[in-house]
mmCIF file of all heavy atoms in Angstrom:
data_model
loop_
_atom_site.group_PDB
_atom_site.id
_atom_site.type_symbol
_atom_site.label_atom_id
_atom_site.label_comp_id
_atom_site.label_asym_id
_atom_site.label_seq_id
_atom_site.Cartn_x
_atom_site.Cartn_y
_atom_site.Cartn_z
ATOM 1 N N ILE J 1235 0.686 53.727 71.158
ATOM 2 C CA ILE J 1235 1.583 54.878 71.321
ATOM 3 C C ILE J 1235 2.907 54.581 70.628
ATOM 4 O O ILE J 1235 3.467 55.400 69.902
ATOM 5 C CB ILE J 1235 1.857 55.154 72.819
ATOM 6 C CG1 ILE J 1235 0.556 55.521 73.531
ATOM 7 C CG2 ILE J 1235 2.897 56.234 72.993
ATOM 8 C CD1 ILE J 1235 0.707 55.599 75.043
ATOM 9 N N SER J 1239 5.028 56.136 65.500
ATOM 10 C CA SER J 1239 6.136 56.635 64.676
ATOM 11 C C SER J 1239 6.144 56.011 63.286
ATOM 12 O O SER J 1239 6.751 56.541 62.375
ATOM 13 C CB SER J 1239 7.477 56.396 65.383
ATOM 14 O OG SER J 1239 7.580 55.061 65.825
ATOM 15 N N GLY K 664 24.842 60.676 76.696
ATOM 16 C CA GLY K 664 23.929 59.845 77.470
ATOM 17 C C GLY K 664 22.569 60.485 77.671
ATOM 18 O O GLY K 664 22.346 61.638 77.274
ATOM 19 N N GLY K 665 21.675 59.723 78.278
ATOM 20 C CA GLY K 665 20.329 60.204 78.580
ATOM 21 C C GLY K 665 20.173 60.472 80.071
ATOM 22 O O GLY K 665 21.161 60.601 80.802
ATOM 23 N N LYS K 666 18.920 60.541 80.507
ATOM 24 C CA LYS K 666 18.649 60.954 81.882
ATOM 25 C C LYS K 666 19.149 59.943 82.912
ATOM 26 O O LYS K 666 19.759 60.298 83.915
ATOM 27 C CB LYS K 666 17.147 61.148 82.052
ATOM 28 C CG LYS K 666 16.801 61.775 83.385
ATOM 29 C CD LYS K 666 15.316 61.977 83.536
ATOM 30 C CE LYS K 666 15.032 62.632 84.876
ATOM 31 N NZ LYS K 666 13.616 62.711 85.161
ATOM 32 N N TYR K 679 27.957 65.037 76.916
ATOM 33 C CA TYR K 679 26.679 65.592 76.477
ATOM 34 C C TYR K 679 25.557 64.734 77.040
ATOM 35 O O TYR K 679 25.600 63.512 76.955
ATOM 36 C CB TYR K 679 26.621 65.584 74.944
ATOM 37 C CG TYR K 679 25.392 66.211 74.342
ATOM 38 C CD1 TYR K 679 25.423 67.519 73.871
ATOM 39 C CD2 TYR K 679 24.200 65.500 74.221
ATOM 40 C CE1 TYR K 679 24.303 68.105 73.309
ATOM 41 C CE2 TYR K 679 23.077 66.078 73.657
ATOM 42 C CZ TYR K 679 23.132 67.378 73.207
ATOM 43 O OH TYR K 679 22.026 67.951 72.644
ATOM 44 N N ASP K 681 21.220 64.464 77.240
ATOM 45 C CA ASP K 681 19.889 64.969 76.919
ATOM 46 C C ASP K 681 18.905 64.306 77.885
ATOM 47 O O ASP K 681 18.626 63.118 77.779
ATOM 48 C CB ASP K 681 19.517 64.652 75.472
ATOM 49 C CG ASP K 681 18.170 65.260 75.099
ATOM 50 O OD1 ASP K 681 17.342 65.495 76.007
ATOM 51 O OD2 ASP K 681 17.944 65.501 73.904
ATOM 52 N N GLU K 682 18.401 65.080 78.816
ATOM 53 C CA GLU K 682 17.542 64.502 79.855
ATOM 54 C C GLU K 682 16.202 64.016 79.320
ATOM 55 O O GLU K 682 15.488 63.281 79.991
ATOM 56 C CB GLU K 682 17.330 65.519 80.981
ATOM 57 C CG GLU K 682 18.556 65.640 81.864
ATOM 58 C CD GLU K 682 18.205 66.203 83.230
ATOM 59 O OE1 GLU K 682 17.595 65.482 84.025
ATOM 60 O OE2 GLU K 682 18.543 67.381 83.473
ATOM 61 N N SER K 683 15.844 64.450 78.103
ATOM 62 C CA SER K 683 14.592 63.966 77.523
ATOM 63 C C SER K 683 14.805 62.633 76.810
ATOM 64 O O SER K 683 13.849 61.989 76.393
ATOM 65 C CB SER K 683 14.053 64.993 76.532
ATOM 66 O OG SER K 683 14.845 64.998 75.355
ATOM 67 N N ASP K 684 16.045 62.228 76.638
ATOM 68 C CA ASP K 684 16.426 61.016 75.887
ATOM 69 C C ASP K 684 16.077 61.114 74.406
ATOM 70 O O ASP K 684 16.178 60.137 73.669
ATOM 71 C CB ASP K 684 15.749 59.743 76.449
ATOM 72 C CG ASP K 684 16.242 59.396 77.843
ATOM 73 O OD1 ASP K 684 17.269 59.960 78.264
ATOM 74 O OD2 ASP K 684 15.604 58.564 78.502
ATOM 75 N N ARG K 685 15.637 62.281 73.951
ATOM 76 C CA ARG K 685 15.146 62.429 72.570
ATOM 77 C C ARG K 685 16.219 62.916 71.601
ATOM 78 O O ARG K 685 16.073 62.734 70.395
ATOM 79 C CB ARG K 685 13.989 63.424 72.535
ATOM 80 C CG ARG K 685 12.713 62.917 73.175
ATOM 81 C CD ARG K 685 11.890 62.187 72.165
ATOM 82 N NE ARG K 685 10.648 61.679 72.742
ATOM 83 C CZ ARG K 685 9.860 60.805 72.111
ATOM 84 N NH1 ARG K 685 10.179 60.386 70.918
ATOM 85 N NH2 ARG K 685 8.780 60.360 72.681
ATOM 86 N N PHE K 686 17.205 63.610 72.087
ATOM 87 C CA PHE K 686 18.255 64.203 71.258
ATOM 88 C C PHE K 686 17.655 65.029 70.111
ATOM 89 O O PHE K 686 18.166 65.042 68.987
ATOM 90 C CB PHE K 686 19.223 63.130 70.729
ATOM 91 C CG PHE K 686 19.891 62.365 71.843
ATOM 92 C CD1 PHE K 686 19.425 61.123 72.233
ATOM 93 C CD2 PHE K 686 20.955 62.917 72.540
ATOM 94 C CE1 PHE K 686 20.009 60.433 73.282
ATOM 95 C CE2 PHE K 686 21.557 62.234 73.589
ATOM 96 C CZ PHE K 686 21.080 60.986 73.957
ATOM 97 N N GLY K 687 16.535 65.663 70.425
ATOM 98 C CA GLY K 687 15.914 66.575 69.461
ATOM 99 C C GLY K 687 15.154 65.902 68.337
ATOM 100 O O GLY K 687 14.783 66.562 67.370
ATOM 101 N N LYS K 688 14.929 64.600 68.422
ATOM 102 C CA LYS K 688 14.258 63.896 67.323
ATOM 103 C C LYS K 688 12.906 63.353 67.776
ATOM 104 O O LYS K 688 12.649 63.176 68.963
ATOM 105 C CB LYS K 688 15.143 62.753 66.825
ATOM 106 C CG LYS K 688 16.464 63.232 66.233
ATOM 107 C CD LYS K 688 16.245 63.942 64.921
ATOM 108 C CE LYS K 688 17.558 64.522 64.399
ATOM 109 N NZ LYS K 688 17.401 65.261 63.159
ATOM 110 N N LYS K 689 12.069 63.039 66.790
ATOM 111 C CA LYS K 689 10.700 62.632 67.092
ATOM 112 C C LYS K 689 10.572 61.158 67.462
ATOM 113 O O LYS K 689 9.767 60.784 68.297
ATOM 114 C CB LYS K 689 9.814 62.902 65.875
ATOM 115 C CG LYS K 689 9.203 64.289 65.880
ATOM 116 C CD LYS K 689 8.127 64.383 64.813
ATOM 117 C CE LYS K 689 7.636 65.811 64.649
ATOM 118 N NZ LYS K 689 7.073 66.025 63.321
ATOM 119 N N THR K 690 11.318 60.283 66.792
ATOM 120 C CA THR K 690 11.186 58.857 67.085
ATOM 121 C C THR K 690 12.441 58.364 67.802
ATOM 122 O O THR K 690 13.514 58.968 67.690
ATOM 123 C CB THR K 690 10.991 58.032 65.800
ATOM 124 O OG1 THR K 690 12.243 57.957 65.102
ATOM 125 C CG2 THR K 690 9.947 58.655 64.886
ATOM 126 N N TRP K 691 12.274 57.254 68.529
ATOM 127 C CA TRP K 691 13.394 56.745 69.330
ATOM 128 C C TRP K 691 14.546 56.307 68.449
ATOM 129 O O TRP K 691 15.719 56.458 68.810
ATOM 130 C CB TRP K 691 12.931 55.587 70.208
ATOM 131 C CG TRP K 691 11.891 55.984 71.213
ATOM 132 C CD1 TRP K 691 10.635 55.459 71.360
ATOM 133 C CD2 TRP K 691 12.016 56.996 72.226
ATOM 134 N NE1 TRP K 691 9.978 56.082 72.385
ATOM 135 C CE2 TRP K 691 10.789 57.025 72.940
ATOM 136 C CE3 TRP K 691 13.035 57.876 72.595
ATOM 137 C CZ2 TRP K 691 10.558 57.900 74.000
ATOM 138 C CZ3 TRP K 691 12.803 58.741 73.658
ATOM 139 C CH2 TRP K 691 11.591 58.752 74.343
ATOM 140 N N GLU K 692 14.233 55.747 67.284
ATOM 141 C CA GLU K 692 15.293 55.292 66.379
ATOM 142 C C GLU K 692 16.112 56.488 65.887
ATOM 143 O O GLU K 692 17.340 56.433 65.828
ATOM 144 C CB GLU K 692 14.686 54.539 65.186
ATOM 145 C CG GLU K 692 14.108 53.166 65.530
ATOM 146 C CD GLU K 692 12.795 53.217 66.305
ATOM 147 O OE1 GLU K 692 12.151 54.293 66.320
ATOM 148 O OE2 GLU K 692 12.409 52.201 66.907
ATOM 149 N N GLN K 693 15.388 57.571 65.560
ATOM 150 C CA GLN K 693 16.105 58.765 65.104
ATOM 151 C C GLN K 693 16.891 59.398 66.247
ATOM 152 O O GLN K 693 17.969 59.960 66.026
ATOM 153 C CB GLN K 693 15.116 59.770 64.509
ATOM 154 C CG GLN K 693 14.543 59.308 63.172
ATOM 155 C CD GLN K 693 13.328 60.121 62.740
ATOM 156 O OE1 GLN K 693 13.202 61.294 63.086
ATOM 157 N NE2 GLN K 693 12.439 59.498 61.999
ATOM 158 N N SER K 694 16.353 59.279 67.464
ATOM 159 C CA SER K 694 17.070 59.824 68.624
ATOM 160 C C SER K 694 18.404 59.107 68.795
ATOM 161 O O SER K 694 19.438 59.732 69.038
ATOM 162 C CB SER K 694 16.246 59.642 69.901
ATOM 163 O OG SER K 694 14.985 60.250 69.765
ATOM 164 N N GLU K 695 18.350 57.775 68.650
ATOM 165 C CA GLU K 695 19.598 57.015 68.804
ATOM 166 C C GLU K 695 20.589 57.400 67.705
ATOM 167 O O GLU K 695 21.778 57.587 67.963
ATOM 168 C CB GLU K 695 19.331 55.513 68.772
ATOM 169 C CG GLU K 695 20.611 54.727 69.015
ATOM 170 C CD GLU K 695 20.421 53.215 68.996
ATOM 171 O OE1 GLU K 695 19.285 52.749 69.147
ATOM 172 O OE2 GLU K 695 21.438 52.523 68.827
ATOM 173 N N ALA K 696 20.088 57.517 66.474
ATOM 174 C CA ALA K 696 20.960 57.902 65.360
ATOM 175 C C ALA K 696 21.606 59.253 65.653
ATOM 176 O O ALA K 696 22.812 59.443 65.467
ATOM 177 C CB ALA K 696 20.161 57.946 64.058
ATOM 178 N N GLU K 697 20.801 60.188 66.174
ATOM 179 C CA GLU K 697 21.325 61.519 66.466
ATOM 180 C C GLU K 697 22.385 61.464 67.563
ATOM 181 O O GLU K 697 23.354 62.212 67.538
ATOM 182 C CB GLU K 697 20.159 62.444 66.862
ATOM 183 C CG GLU K 697 20.535 63.901 67.097
ATOM 184 C CD GLU K 697 21.108 64.594 65.864
ATOM 185 O OE1 GLU K 697 20.904 64.077 64.743
ATOM 186 O OE2 GLU K 697 21.771 65.634 66.022
ATOM 187 N N SER K 698 22.204 60.554 68.527
ATOM 188 C CA SER K 698 23.195 60.457 69.603
ATOM 189 C C SER K 698 24.564 60.063 69.037
ATOM 190 O O SER K 698 25.595 60.503 69.529
ATOM 191 C CB SER K 698 22.738 59.465 70.678
ATOM 192 O OG SER K 698 22.874 58.134 70.235
ATOM 193 N N ILE K 701 25.990 63.222 67.427
ATOM 194 C CA ILE K 701 26.476 64.165 68.449
ATOM 195 C C ILE K 701 27.818 63.678 69.014
ATOM 196 O O ILE K 701 28.763 64.449 69.157
ATOM 197 C CB ILE K 701 25.440 64.311 69.589
ATOM 198 C CG1 ILE K 701 24.163 64.965 69.052
ATOM 199 C CG2 ILE K 701 26.009 65.127 70.744
ATOM 200 C CD1 ILE K 701 22.999 64.953 70.031
ATOM 201 N N HIS K 779 19.967 52.631 72.656
ATOM 202 C CA HIS K 779 18.951 53.501 73.247
ATOM 203 C C HIS K 779 17.921 52.600 73.909
ATOM 204 O O HIS K 779 17.434 51.657 73.291
ATOM 205 C CB HIS K 779 18.302 54.367 72.169
ATOM 206 C CG HIS K 779 17.510 55.514 72.727
ATOM 207 N ND1 HIS K 779 16.398 55.343 73.515
ATOM 208 C CD2 HIS K 779 17.697 56.859 72.624
ATOM 209 C CE1 HIS K 779 15.923 56.532 73.854
ATOM 210 N NE2 HIS K 779 16.687 57.469 73.332
ATOM 211 N N CYS K 781 14.822 52.916 74.633
ATOM 212 C CA CYS K 781 13.486 52.830 74.034
ATOM 213 C C CYS K 781 13.505 52.110 72.689
ATOM 214 O O CYS K 781 12.621 51.306 72.398
ATOM 215 C CB CYS K 781 12.882 54.218 73.900
ATOM 216 S SG CYS K 781 12.634 55.016 75.493
ATOM 217 N N VAL K 791 7.394 50.491 74.780
ATOM 218 C CA VAL K 791 8.060 51.207 75.863
ATOM 219 C C VAL K 791 7.140 51.405 77.076
ATOM 220 O O VAL K 791 7.563 51.242 78.215
ATOM 221 C CB VAL K 791 8.566 52.576 75.352
ATOM 222 C CG1 VAL K 791 9.201 53.366 76.477
ATOM 223 C CG2 VAL K 791 9.554 52.375 74.210
ATOM 224 N N GLU K 792 5.876 51.735 76.828
ATOM 225 C CA GLU K 792 4.968 52.043 77.936
ATOM 226 C C GLU K 792 4.261 50.805 78.494
ATOM 227 O O GLU K 792 3.402 50.910 79.367
ATOM 228 C CB GLU K 792 3.909 53.065 77.502
ATOM 229 C CG GLU K 792 4.476 54.413 77.093
ATOM 230 C CD GLU K 792 5.266 55.074 78.197
ATOM 231 O OE1 GLU K 792 5.020 54.764 79.376
ATOM 232 O OE2 GLU K 792 6.155 55.890 77.879
ATOM 233 N N THR K 806 21.019 54.189 77.315
ATOM 234 C CA THR K 806 20.770 55.203 76.296
ATOM 235 C C THR K 806 22.037 56.030 76.203
ATOM 236 O O THR K 806 22.348 56.800 77.115
ATOM 237 C CB THR K 806 19.592 56.102 76.711
ATOM 238 O OG1 THR K 806 18.431 55.286 76.825
ATOM 239 C CG2 THR K 806 19.356 57.195 75.687
#
Side-chain angles (χ1 to χ4, degrees):
Chain J
I1235 297 171
S1239 50
Chain K
K666 189 179 181 187
Y679 184 98
D681 184 335
E682 284 202 73
S683 73
D684 293 346
R685 290 272 180 192
F686 301 99
K688 297 290 175 182
K689 270 192 188 156
T690 74
W691 297 122
E692 289 73 17
Q693 289 166 29
S694 303
E695 183 180 341
E697 184 62 18
S698 75
I701 294 171
H779 195 297
C781 297
V791 177
E792 297 301 336
T806 298

